[in-house]
Structure formats: C-alpha cells, structure tokens
Amino acid sequence: MRTALTRLPGHPDEACDLVAETIVDEYLRRDVNSRVRLTVSGGRGVMFVSGDVLSQADFDVSALVRRTLGSLGITDDIEPFVSLEPVAAERVHAARLPAELPVTVTGFASNETIEGLPRHVVAARRIARALSDLRDGDSDFFWLGPDAEVSIVENANASMRALLRVEHGTESLEKIRGLLKERLSGALDGAEIEVNPTGPCERRGLVCVSGASNRPQMLYGSGWPTTDRGIGHDPSSASKAGLWVARAAALRAIRNGASAALVQATYLPGEMKPHAFKIRDERGRDLSSIVPIENMSLERVTREWLRPGLNVDAARAGIVGDASLPWET
C-alpha cells in the first residue's frame, strides 16, 4: 500500500510556506545578492515572521504578508509580527555560504508517469488541482474554503481511494459530499472518493489551526524519507539548491532508461559540489556514469535556473513534477 498527501494553498502549513517564499522572492527582486534564512509560523489570528537577512533591500514585510494571505483566499484578519534582523558582522561570511553545517539532500524520479513521479502522488495532485479549479472558477462552489487536503491510498492491486478534507461553511455535509463526488469523479477514474470521512468541517485554516513553514514533507509519497525543502531560504542554500539539482539528476537517470532513480548527496560548508554522492536504480545498481558529479554543483541554480518569482512558483507547484520548473525539463 502506498499513500500520498497534497494540500491546497490555504492550508496553514502551505500558507506559511507561500508567505515565506514570497518574502524571499521580494528580497531577491530588490537585491539579487540577498541572503535570507527565515521562518513563518502562526495561527488563530497571528503570524510570526523571523530570521536573518543579509540584503540591501528594504520594504514593508507586514504589508506583503497581508497581500499574500489575501491572494490565497484567506480573508480573516491575521496580524503579522515581523522580526527580520540583519546578519551580525562576524557572521557575514558564514551567511554567504551554501551551508554552515553538512547538508544531505535526496532526489527521486520514477517512470510511472510523465511527471516522473509515482502514480499515487500524481493522483493526489490532480484531485487538488480540480478542487482549486472548482473553488476559483465555479460559483456553485462558493462555500468551498481555501484550506483542504487530499490523501490518496493505493492498494497492492493498484486500486485507489481518495480521502478529502474540505471546509464547507454552512452547507450540509450530505450536499457537499454529493457535489464533490459528482464533479471530481473524472479527475480520478474508478477511484473511490470519500469527503470529510471524520465528519463536518465547517471552518478551519489559520483562524482555527496553527501552521509553520518548511515542515518536512514526503514529496514522493510514502516509502521515501521526508524532505527539508529549504522553504524560507534563498536559492544559494544547499538545502534548497541541493534538492533541486538532486531531482534533476534523478530525472536524467530515468530519461536514460532507468525505471526509477534515488539520489543522495551531502554538501559540506563552503563547498558547491557534494562531498558524497550516490545514485541508484530500483535494484540498487549504480547510475553514476549517467549523472556525473559535476551535474550536482549548486552553481547550476544561479547559473541556469534562477529567475524572478521562482521560489513561490516552486512552492505552489509542489517543488517537483511540474514542467514549468527549470529542473524538471
């Protein structure tokens, strides 16, 4: 049995991630040499932004937080508290390094789908996109709140079961179950769909539940380790840039004939290429001849991929599996 989980942008953790990445992108837009390490957390009416910044940029972070939350459909009054401090003089050199401690990243790809992701992960994302489309583009679903989760369970016989948790306001549970099953059945042919199996969920989101940025996630579904995605870091960070290049390496392997590929790389402080690097296929065979270590350089991010808004775009797209992201092509 395999499981996968996808959340809509209004989920408290996802909202914190997108606020964090929006701030990072704004620093980089104003000063491309910015170094940012921040975290976002909060709920029940407040949001905390804290961290270290090395940048010439200066702007109203609180206003940006409010605009970002509004763009996610979060209309509740959330009060931002911001504590972003300049990097101390004695730490400027360290702040410019990709990492101050060893960082290990993981990348994975599978030829199960054209996205290079396991089938159940793609299914969860497809349902989540369909939910977002209903919320944004169909007036009959005015009641659908911005906070939602989609879980997919794939059994040994490859059959799938979708479990949805959605906000439905004052609409009855029976009504929303019928509507969503009817409208989402085409997004996952033959799958059993359950809506709010634990009961009503009239309201949730940041007004009721706390969230935090950069909580580890299973990008590739169950069976693979949770991953630090570098949310709230600028792309010079090894935890973010390394994740991107590891995914690119895994994709290269499957495009060269592997059914699946797992990449693991460890970056030491001050080094752009990994100190340790291995790539294996589904049978444990070495694929390093397909992906030379030079392809794992963190410099690829700034040299080939960096563009305005990339951090937010990646967070919205789930980091992997979206063809619009440069490491996915």
Side-chain angles (χ1 to χ4, degrees), residues 15-270:
C16 288
D17 283 346
L18 289 167
V19 166
E21 295 294 71
T22 300
I23 296 170
V24 170
D25 274 335
E26 185 64 12
Y27 271 109
L28 292 170
R29 186 183 73 82
R30 294 168 179 263
D31 177 7
V32 71
N33 296 313
S34 295
R35 295 293 181 265
V36 185
R37 303 288 187 272
L38 63 85
T39 60
V40 177
S41 63
R44 298 186 179 276
V46 297
M47 177 166 279
F48 301 98
V49 180
S50 61
D52 299 326
V53 176
L54 181 61
S55 177
Q56 297 298 313
D58 184 24
F59 57 94
D60 188 341
V61 176
S62 294
L64 182 61
V65 170
R66 291 190 175 95
R67 289 198 302 272
T68 302
L69 293 174
S71 72
L72 301 177
I74 300 171
T75 57
D76 301 295
D77 187 16
I78 307 293
E79 180 67 24
F81 292 87
V82 178
S83 178
L84 294 176
E85 299 298 330
V87 173
E90 63 272 16
R91 293 195 61 253
V92 167
H93 174 70
R96 294 195 179 280
L97 298 177
E100 295 186 51
L101 294 171
V103 171
T104 299
V105 297
T106 300
F108 177 74
S110 166
N111 69 356
E112 288 185 49
T113 63
I114 60 173
E115 293 89 350
L117 294 172
R119 180 170 167 262
H120 61 302
V121 174
V122 172
R125 292 179 173 212
R126 187 181 301 129
I127 292 286
R129 283 195 299 271
L131 272 177
S132 290
D133 290 344
L134 288 176
R135 184 176 184 277
D136 295 339
D138 192 326
S139 58
D140 289 340
F141 290 82
F142 66 93
W143 45 264
L144 190 57
D147 177 10
E149 295 176 297
V150 177
S151 297
I152 293 289
V153 178
E154 184 181 31
N155 297 315
N157 62 2
S159 65
M160 290 191 186
R161 182 178 174 190
L163 293 89
L164 281 57
R165 195 272 303 152
V166 301
E167 296 178 281
H168 57 83
T170 58
E171 297 296 314
S172 72
L173 187 55
E174 291 74 18
K175 177 181 178 180
I176 67 118
R177 281 174 172 168
L179 284 171
L180 288 176
K181 288 179 182 180
E182 176 186 350
R183 296 296 295 272
L184 297 176
S185 59
L188 200 59
D189 292 337
E192 179 184 355
I193 298 177
E194 298 183 31
V195 180
N196 289 9
T198 60
C201 179
E202 294 186 7
R203 198 175 190 211
R204 198 171 177 275
L206 279 169
V207 73
C208 299
V209 182
S210 296
S213 62
N214 202 34
R215 284 184 170 161
Q217 286 189 2
M218 293 186 294
L219 290 181
Y220 307 106
S222 61
W224 301 107
T226 56
T227 301
D228 176 359
R229 297 158 296 141
I231 298 293
H233 292 197
D234 68 87
S236 73
S237 165
S239 59
K240 176 176 280 185
L243 177 66
W244 295 353
V245 298
R247 167 65 174 175
L251 284 172
R252 177 168 177 165
I254 66 169
R255 288 164 183 165
N256 279 274
S259 297
L262 177 66
V263 176
Q264 292 179 307
T266 299
Y267 296 86
L268 298 183

